[in-house]
Amino acid sequence: MLSLLKRYRRFLLVAALLLYPLGAFLLGGRRGRDPNFVDRGVIALTAPVQQGLTAGIDGAVAAVRNYLDLRGVRQDNDALRLENLQLRATVQALGEARSENSRLRKLLSYAEAAPGPEIPARVVGVNPVAKLLSVRISSGEKDGVFRGMSVVTPDGIVGQVIRSTGGYADVALVTDPQSRVAVRVQRSRARGTAAGAGNGPLTLENMLRTEDVEDGDLIITSGTDGIYPPGLVVGRVTQLEKKEHGMFQGADIQPAVDTSRLEEVLVVGSPYSAMASGGASAEGAQK
Protein backbone atom coordinates (compact mmCIF):
# COMPACT_ATOMS: atom_id res chain seq x y z
CA MET A 1 0.00 0.00 0.00
CA LEU A 2 2.81 2.39 0.91
CA SER A 3 4.54 1.65 -2.37
CA LEU A 4 1.38 2.49 -4.30
CA LEU A 5 0.97 5.73 -2.35
CA LYS A 6 4.56 6.69 -3.06
CA ARG A 7 4.21 5.85 -6.76
CA TYR A 8 1.01 7.83 -7.26
CA ARG A 9 1.45 10.50 -4.62
CA ARG A 10 1.65 13.32 -7.12
CA PHE A 11 -1.44 12.16 -8.92
CA LEU A 12 -3.36 11.73 -5.66
CA LEU A 13 -2.25 15.18 -4.48
CA VAL A 14 -3.42 16.85 -7.65
CA ALA A 15 -6.69 14.91 -7.58
CA ALA A 16 -7.30 15.94 -3.98
CA LEU A 17 -6.57 19.55 -4.75
CA LEU A 18 -8.91 19.48 -7.72
CA LEU A 19 -11.68 17.56 -5.95
CA TYR A 20 -11.67 19.73 -2.85
CA PRO A 21 -13.28 22.78 -4.47
CA LEU A 22 -15.90 20.53 -6.04
CA GLY A 23 -16.67 18.92 -2.73
CA ALA A 24 -16.81 22.25 -0.99
CA PHE A 25 -19.18 23.56 -3.58
CA LEU A 26 -21.47 20.54 -3.29
CA LEU A 27 -21.48 20.64 0.48
CA GLY A 28 -22.13 24.36 0.51
CA GLY A 29 -25.07 23.98 -1.88
CA ARG A 30 -26.58 27.29 -2.67
CA ARG A 31 -25.36 28.88 0.56
CA GLY A 32 -22.83 31.52 -0.11
CA ARG A 33 -19.85 31.92 2.18
CA ASP A 34 -16.49 33.59 2.12
CA PRO A 35 -13.55 31.28 1.34
CA ASN A 36 -11.42 30.39 4.37
CA PHE A 37 -7.67 30.05 4.42
CA VAL A 38 -7.88 26.40 3.30
CA ASP A 39 -10.01 27.38 0.32
CA ARG A 40 -7.64 30.16 -0.53
CA GLY A 41 -4.67 27.84 -0.31
CA VAL A 42 -6.30 25.19 -2.49
CA ILE A 43 -7.32 27.77 -5.06
CA ALA A 44 -3.84 29.23 -5.09
CA LEU A 45 -2.35 25.78 -5.65
CA THR A 46 -4.88 24.48 -8.19
CA ALA A 47 -5.38 27.64 -10.27
CA PRO A 48 -2.06 27.32 -12.16
CA VAL A 49 -2.74 23.63 -12.75
CA GLN A 50 -6.26 24.33 -14.01
CA GLN A 51 -4.97 27.18 -16.14
CA GLY A 52 -2.26 24.95 -17.63
CA LEU A 53 -4.73 22.13 -18.29
CA THR A 54 -7.19 24.54 -19.86
CA ALA A 55 -4.48 26.12 -22.02
CA GLY A 56 -3.22 22.68 -23.08
CA ILE A 57 -6.72 21.47 -23.96
CA ASP A 58 -7.49 24.70 -25.85
CA GLY A 59 -4.18 24.48 -27.68
CA ALA A 60 -4.79 20.85 -28.63
CA VAL A 61 -8.31 21.67 -29.86
CA ALA A 62 -6.99 24.64 -31.85
CA ALA A 63 -4.22 22.50 -33.34
CA VAL A 64 -6.72 19.83 -34.40
CA ARG A 65 -9.00 22.46 -35.91
CA ASN A 66 -6.10 24.10 -37.75
CA TYR A 67 -4.99 20.73 -39.07
CA LEU A 68 -8.49 19.93 -40.28
CA ASP A 69 -8.78 23.38 -41.86
CA LEU A 70 -5.40 23.04 -43.57
CA ARG A 71 -6.31 19.58 -44.76
CA GLY A 72 -9.55 20.93 -46.19
CA VAL A 73 -7.71 23.82 -47.88
CA ARG A 74 -5.19 21.40 -49.37
CA GLN A 75 -7.98 19.22 -50.71
CA ASP A 76 -9.72 22.29 -52.14
CA ASN A 77 -6.46 23.40 -53.76
CA ASP A 78 -5.94 19.96 -55.29
CA ALA A 79 -9.49 19.99 -56.63
CA LEU A 80 -9.06 23.52 -58.03
CA ARG A 81 -5.73 22.59 -59.59
CA LEU A 82 -7.32 19.58 -61.31
CA GLU A 83 -10.25 21.67 -62.46
CA ASN A 84 -7.84 24.29 -63.84
CA LEU A 85 -5.97 21.64 -65.82
CA GLN A 86 -9.24 20.29 -67.20
CA LEU A 87 -10.40 23.78 -68.19
CA ARG A 88 -7.07 24.53 -69.89
CA ALA A 89 -7.29 21.28 -71.83
CA THR A 90 -10.86 22.14 -72.85
CA VAL A 91 -9.84 25.63 -73.97
CA GLN A 92 -6.95 24.20 -75.99
CA ALA A 93 -9.24 21.64 -77.62
CA LEU A 94 -11.80 24.34 -78.42
CA GLY A 95 -9.08 26.53 -79.92
CA GLU A 96 -7.87 23.68 -82.13
CA ALA A 97 -11.45 22.89 -83.17
CA ARG A 98 -12.08 26.57 -83.96
CA SER A 99 -8.92 26.70 -86.07
CA GLU A 100 -9.88 23.52 -87.91
CA ASN A 101 -13.41 24.79 -88.53
CA SER A 102 -12.00 28.02 -89.96
CA ARG A 103 -9.74 26.10 -92.34
CA LEU A 104 -12.54 23.76 -93.40
CA ARG A 105 -14.95 26.67 -94.01
CA LYS A 106 -12.32 28.34 -96.16
CA LEU A 107 -11.75 25.08 -98.03
CA LEU A 108 -15.50 24.59 -98.52
CA SER A 109 -15.96 28.13 -99.81
CA TYR A 110 -13.15 27.60 -102.31
CA ALA A 111 -14.59 24.25 -103.43
CA GLU A 112 -18.04 25.78 -103.97
CA ALA A 113 -16.56 28.56 -106.11
CA ALA A 114 -14.30 26.26 -108.16
CA PRO A 115 -15.55 25.37 -111.66
CA GLY A 116 -14.71 21.66 -111.52
CA PRO A 117 -15.22 18.91 -108.94
CA GLU A 118 -13.08 19.14 -105.81
CA ILE A 119 -12.20 16.15 -103.63
CA PRO A 120 -11.31 17.02 -100.01
CA ALA A 121 -8.60 15.11 -98.20
CA ARG A 122 -6.46 15.27 -95.08
CA VAL A 123 -2.69 15.00 -94.98
CA VAL A 124 -1.95 11.77 -93.11
CA GLY A 125 1.74 11.26 -93.82
CA VAL A 126 4.96 12.96 -94.90
CA ASN A 127 7.64 11.34 -97.02
CA PRO A 128 10.95 11.65 -95.08
CA VAL A 129 13.09 11.06 -98.20
CA ALA A 130 14.68 14.32 -99.32
CA LYS A 131 14.93 13.20 -102.98
CA LEU A 132 11.14 13.23 -103.31
CA LEU A 133 9.25 15.82 -101.29
CA SER A 134 5.76 14.37 -101.00
CA VAL A 135 2.84 13.88 -98.64
CA ARG A 136 0.18 11.20 -98.35
CA ILE A 137 -3.49 12.17 -98.33
CA SER A 138 -6.58 10.35 -97.08
CA SER A 139 -8.38 10.05 -100.46
CA GLY A 140 -7.57 7.59 -103.23
CA GLU A 141 -9.00 5.80 -106.23
CA LYS A 142 -12.23 4.89 -104.44
CA ASP A 143 -12.80 8.61 -103.91
CA GLY A 144 -12.04 9.53 -107.52
CA VAL A 145 -8.40 10.54 -107.02
CA PHE A 146 -6.05 9.41 -109.80
CA ARG A 147 -2.46 9.98 -110.88
CA GLY A 148 -1.89 13.34 -112.55
CA MET A 149 -4.55 15.30 -110.65
CA SER A 150 -3.46 18.58 -109.11
CA VAL A 151 -3.71 19.29 -105.36
CA VAL A 152 -4.51 22.77 -104.05
CA THR A 153 -5.66 24.78 -101.06
CA PRO A 154 -7.57 28.09 -101.05
CA ASP A 155 -4.17 29.81 -100.75
CA GLY A 156 -2.61 28.22 -103.84
CA ILE A 157 -1.17 25.09 -105.43
CA VAL A 158 0.31 22.24 -103.39
CA GLY A 159 1.45 19.60 -105.88
CA GLN A 160 0.44 16.75 -108.14
CA VAL A 161 -0.82 13.22 -107.45
CA ILE A 162 1.90 10.76 -108.45
CA ARG A 163 0.42 7.56 -107.01
CA SER A 164 -3.09 6.51 -105.96
CA THR A 165 -4.43 3.39 -104.24
CA GLY A 166 -7.82 2.44 -102.86
CA GLY A 167 -7.98 4.88 -99.94
CA TYR A 168 -4.79 6.94 -100.16
CA ALA A 169 -2.70 8.92 -102.62
CA ASP A 170 0.83 10.34 -102.72
CA VAL A 171 1.33 13.95 -103.76
CA ALA A 172 4.63 15.35 -105.08
CA LEU A 173 4.95 18.89 -103.72
CA VAL A 174 5.71 21.91 -105.89
CA THR A 175 8.87 22.38 -103.83
CA ASP A 176 10.23 19.00 -104.99
CA PRO A 177 13.37 19.51 -107.15
CA GLN A 178 11.74 17.56 -110.00
CA SER A 179 8.58 19.70 -110.01
CA ARG A 180 7.93 22.07 -112.94
CA VAL A 181 4.86 24.33 -113.19
CA ALA A 182 3.95 26.54 -116.14
CA VAL A 183 3.26 30.01 -114.74
CA ARG A 184 2.62 33.60 -115.72
CA VAL A 185 2.95 36.98 -114.05
CA GLN A 186 -0.59 38.06 -113.19
CA ARG A 187 0.12 41.75 -113.78
CA SER A 188 2.01 41.61 -117.09
CA ARG A 189 0.91 38.12 -118.27
CA ALA A 190 4.56 37.20 -118.92
CA ARG A 191 5.12 33.43 -119.05
CA GLY A 192 7.77 31.30 -117.39
CA THR A 193 8.34 28.15 -115.33
CA ALA A 194 8.34 27.67 -111.56
CA ALA A 195 10.85 24.98 -110.63
CA GLY A 196 11.08 23.27 -107.24
CA ALA A 197 14.33 23.75 -105.35
CA GLY A 198 13.77 21.68 -102.21
CA ASN A 199 12.54 23.16 -98.96
CA GLY A 200 12.49 26.86 -99.72
CA PRO A 201 11.54 29.27 -102.50
CA LEU A 202 10.76 28.10 -106.02
CA THR A 203 12.97 29.23 -108.88
CA LEU A 204 11.63 31.28 -111.78
CA GLU A 205 12.97 29.85 -115.03
CA ASN A 206 12.48 30.45 -118.77
CA MET A 207 11.41 34.06 -118.23
CA LEU A 208 12.73 36.16 -121.12
CA ARG A 209 14.97 39.03 -120.11
CA THR A 210 12.73 41.44 -122.00
CA GLU A 211 9.59 40.47 -120.06
CA ASP A 212 8.04 42.82 -117.49
CA VAL A 213 8.64 41.28 -114.04
CA GLU A 214 9.08 43.05 -110.71
CA ASP A 215 9.68 42.05 -107.09
CA GLY A 216 6.35 41.37 -105.41
CA ASP A 217 4.53 40.34 -108.60
CA LEU A 218 1.95 37.61 -108.09
CA ILE A 219 2.72 34.40 -109.99
CA ILE A 220 -0.19 32.21 -111.09
CA THR A 221 -0.54 29.02 -113.10
CA SER A 222 -0.84 29.51 -116.84
CA GLY A 223 -2.57 26.18 -117.53
CA THR A 224 -0.32 25.41 -120.49
CA ASP A 225 1.41 22.42 -118.88
CA GLY A 226 -1.74 20.31 -118.84
CA ILE A 227 -1.40 19.77 -115.09
CA TYR A 228 -2.82 22.73 -113.20
CA PRO A 229 -5.90 24.76 -114.17
CA PRO A 230 -5.05 28.36 -115.09
CA GLY A 231 -5.24 31.16 -112.54
CA LEU A 232 -4.19 29.26 -109.39
CA VAL A 233 -1.85 31.16 -107.08
CA VAL A 234 1.74 29.93 -107.01
CA GLY A 235 3.51 32.66 -105.04
CA ARG A 236 5.24 36.04 -105.28
CA VAL A 237 8.46 37.13 -106.94
CA THR A 238 11.44 37.81 -104.69
CA GLN A 239 15.14 38.34 -105.37
CA LEU A 240 14.63 39.34 -109.00
CA GLU A 241 17.86 39.20 -111.02
CA LYS A 242 17.88 40.95 -114.40
CA LYS A 243 21.01 39.82 -116.21
CA GLU A 244 22.78 42.12 -118.63
CA HIS A 245 23.50 39.27 -121.02
CA GLY A 246 21.63 36.14 -122.02
CA MET A 247 18.05 35.38 -122.95
CA PHE A 248 16.51 34.91 -119.52
CA GLN A 249 16.16 36.64 -116.19
CA GLY A 250 15.93 34.83 -112.87
CA ALA A 251 14.13 35.22 -109.58
CA ASP A 252 12.87 33.35 -106.55
CA ILE A 253 9.18 32.68 -105.98
CA GLN A 254 8.01 32.56 -102.38
CA PRO A 255 5.31 29.84 -102.41
CA ALA A 256 1.82 30.92 -101.38
CA VAL A 257 1.34 27.62 -99.52
CA ASP A 258 3.62 26.53 -96.68
CA THR A 259 3.85 22.85 -97.59
CA SER A 260 5.43 22.03 -94.23
CA ARG A 261 2.17 22.93 -92.44
CA LEU A 262 -0.42 21.23 -94.65
CA GLU A 263 -3.43 19.68 -92.94
CA GLU A 264 -6.36 19.73 -95.40
CA VAL A 265 -6.21 19.90 -99.20
CA LEU A 266 -8.42 19.67 -102.28
CA VAL A 267 -7.74 17.39 -105.23
CA VAL A 268 -8.76 19.08 -108.46
CA GLY A 269 -10.70 16.79 -110.76
CA SER A 270 -10.75 18.29 -114.26
CA PRO A 271 -9.76 17.53 -117.86
CA TYR A 272 -6.28 18.67 -116.89
CA SER A 273 -5.73 15.52 -114.87
CA ALA A 274 -6.27 13.31 -117.90
CA MET A 275 -3.73 15.39 -119.85
CA ALA A 276 -1.29 15.33 -116.94
CA SER A 277 -1.36 11.56 -116.45
CA GLY A 278 1.22 11.21 -119.20
CA GLY A 279 2.91 14.59 -118.66
CA ALA A 280 6.59 15.12 -118.22
CA SER A 281 6.28 16.37 -114.64
CA ALA A 282 4.59 13.20 -113.43
CA GLU A 283 7.12 11.04 -115.24
CA GLY A 284 9.97 13.01 -113.69
CA ALA A 285 8.48 12.61 -110.21
CA GLN A 286 8.32 8.84 -110.62
CA LYS A 287 12.03 8.51 -111.48
Side-chain angles (χ1 to χ4, degrees), residues 9-269:
R9 63 179 181 276
R10 293 183 180 178
F11 175 77
L12 293 175
L13 178 61
V14 171
L17 292 174
L18 292 176
L19 290 176
Y20 176 79
L22 177 63
F25 173 77
L26 293 176
L27 292 175
R30 295 184 178 179
R31 295 172 300 171
R33 66 180 181 84
D34 295 330
N36 54 32
F37 71 96
V38 177
D39 295 334
R40 295 178 186 275
V42 171
I43 292 174
L45 292 174
T46 58
V49 178
Q50 291 177 335
Q51 185 177 2
L53 290 175
T54 302
I57 294 173
D58 291 342
V61 172
V64 171
R65 287 178 179 176
N66 290 336
Y67 170 75
L68 294 177
D69 291 341
L70 289 175
R71 185 176 179 182
V73 170
R74 187 179 297 110
Q75 292 175 346
D76 292 341
N77 287 339
D78 291 340
L80 290 174
R81 190 177 296 109
L82 178 60
E83 184 179 1
N84 183 44
L85 291 175
Q86 292 173 340
L87 290 175
R88 289 173 59 186
T90 301
V91 169
Q92 184 175 0
L94 290 175
E96 180 64 21
R98 187 182 299 110
S99 177
E100 182 180 17
N101 287 337
S102 177
R103 294 195 307 269
L104 292 177
R105 282 197 301 269
K106 190 175 180 181
L107 204 67
L108 180 60
S109 299
Y110 177 83
E112 290 176 347
E118 311 284 336
I119 303 170
R122 288 182 178 274
V123 175
V124 295
V126 178
N127 184 6
V129 180
K131 293 182 179 180
L132 178 60
L133 299 178
S134 66
V135 295
R136 178 160 294 176
I137 60 176
S138 61
S139 296
E141 290 181 345
K142 69 180 182 62
D143 305 295
V145 175
F146 300 98
R147 179 175 176 266
M149 286 185 170
S150 53
V151 180
V152 302
T153 72
D155 296 322
I157 65 172
V158 171
Q160 179 190 2
V161 176
I162 57 173
R163 187 180 299 106
S164 182
T165 60
Y168 300 95
D170 292 331
V171 179
L173 302 175
V174 292
T175 53
D176 182 77
Q178 301 178 74
S179 171
R180 298 292 183 274
V181 181
V183 299
R184 71 168 71 244
V185 179
Q186 187 185 53
R187 178 182 57 83
S188 65
R189 316 309 290 176
R191 291 181 179 177
T193 302
N199 291 317
L202 308 177
T203 301
L204 180 62
E205 297 179 347
N206 302 325
M207 180 67 67
L208 293 175
R209 187 165 57 91
T210 56
E211 293 286 6
D212 181 12
V213 185
E214 296 178 359
D215 279 333
D217 275 341
L218 185 66
I219 301 298
I220 60 175
T221 56
S222 65
T224 59
D225 55 7
I227 301 174
Y228 296 95
L232 299 178
V233 177
V234 178
R236 289 192 178 275
V237 175
T238 61
Q239 305 296 325
L240 180 64
E241 181 182 0
K242 288 185 177 290
K243 300 179 181 179
E244 295 182 0
H245 305 285
M247 293 181 58
F248 304 104
Q249 56 185 314
D252 289 341
I253 302 175
Q254 187 62 40
V257 177
D258 185 352
T259 55
S260 67
R261 299 178 182 275
L262 289 172
E263 295 188 59
E264 298 90 14
V265 297
L266 288 173
V267 182
V268 179

